[in-house]
Amino acid sequence: MRLTLHMLISHGRVARKMGLNPQSRINMLRNILTGLVRHERIETVRARADEVRFYAEKLIDYAKKGDTDEKAMKMATFWLTEKDLVPKLFKVLAPRFETHTNGYTRMARIPNRENLDRAKMAVLEYKGNPFPPLYPVKKENQLTLINQLLKGYKEEKARQMLN
């Protein structure tokens, strides 16, 4: 991709338009955010996932203030289109992230969509959800050079301690 002056200067544009007018864009973000709160993991287009990630983190920040806070309730009722999810936000998700200050979501790239548009896809999820991890846990390989050296060092140290 060629860098041009057009791409470097934003001129006040802070958000992606995604081919929608402002009201449709907000409604689309609200629907994606509602799905994220309901299922705690969603699969969507990468640009949309990147855009909604900011709002998902801000929603958790407001939810951590508690359901007695007027502004937190106002934000929750605005962003969640299904009002039965408001208690889940305050009673389940907010306590989960009580010790965290930021970084409540995780975004992972997945292969492009297979239909005609071949859109770049991503999975957006709240951390600590009950689903299996997106990335497999890497096992320690004992045959690497560093692990072999560490093993020899530990054995040598143990022999010196015995003598």
Side-chain angles (χ1 to χ4, degrees):
M1 178 167 69
R2 201 171 130 206
L3 287 177
T4 61
L5 192 59
H6 173 72
M7 293 177 67
L8 295 175
I9 301 173
S10 65
H11 291 295
R13 291 186 305 268
V14 293
R16 294 177 177 94
K17 287 175 66 173
M18 292 182 272
L20 301 170
N21 64 32
Q23 186 61 45
S24 298
R25 179 183 170 278
I26 292 293
N27 288 338
M28 187 239 352
L29 292 174
R30 288 173 67 196
N31 288 332
I32 292 175
L33 192 55
T34 301
L36 180 62
V37 171
R38 175 170 294 288
H39 303 291
E40 297 187 29
R41 179 186 281 181
I42 57 167
E43 180 179 318
T44 184
V45 178
R46 196 178 304 164
R48 291 178 180 178
D50 193 34
E51 193 70 20
V52 82
R53 184 177 193 178
F54 169 77
Y55 297 103
E57 303 239 349
K58 290 302 267 184
L59 192 62
I60 293 293
D61 282 337
Y62 279 113
K64 284 167 56 174
K65 294 179 180 179
D67 55 358
T68 57
D69 187 44
E70 185 179 337
K71 188 165 184 181
M73 280 300 290
K74 189 182 280 188
M75 293 299 282
T77 54
F78 173 77
W79 282 105
L80 298 176
T81 58
E82 300 172 13
K83 303 309 175 208
D84 61 324
L85 294 177
V86 174
K88 178 180 181 181
L89 179 68
F90 286 102
K91 303 283 190 260
V92 177
L93 294 177
R96 182 189 302 171
F97 301 115
E98 198 64 45
T99 59
H100 299 94
T101 56
N102 58 5
Y104 314 121
T105 59
R106 180 183 302 124
M107 190 171 85
R109 295 177 178 187
I110 57 176
N112 294 352
R113 234 185 333 222
E114 289 297 326
N115 62 1
L116 295 176
D117 67 348
R118 302 284 299 157
K120 295 177 179 175
M121 300 295 287
V123 172
L124 182 66
E125 67 176 0
Y126 279 122
K127 293 180 180 175
N129 61 20
F131 302 113
L134 289 172
Y135 300 110
V137 178
K138 292 184 178 178
K139 297 179 182 176
E140 281 293 319
N141 187 358
Q142 296 298 322
L143 301 177
T144 61
L145 179 62
I146 293 175
N147 286 338
Q148 290 292 322
L149 292 172
L150 283 173
K151 182 180 172 186
Y153 175 76
K154 288 177 185 175
E155 290 173 355
E156 183 178 323
K157 201 67 157 162
R159 278 190 230 121
Q160 287 178 356
M161 295 298 270
L162 290 174
N163 293 338

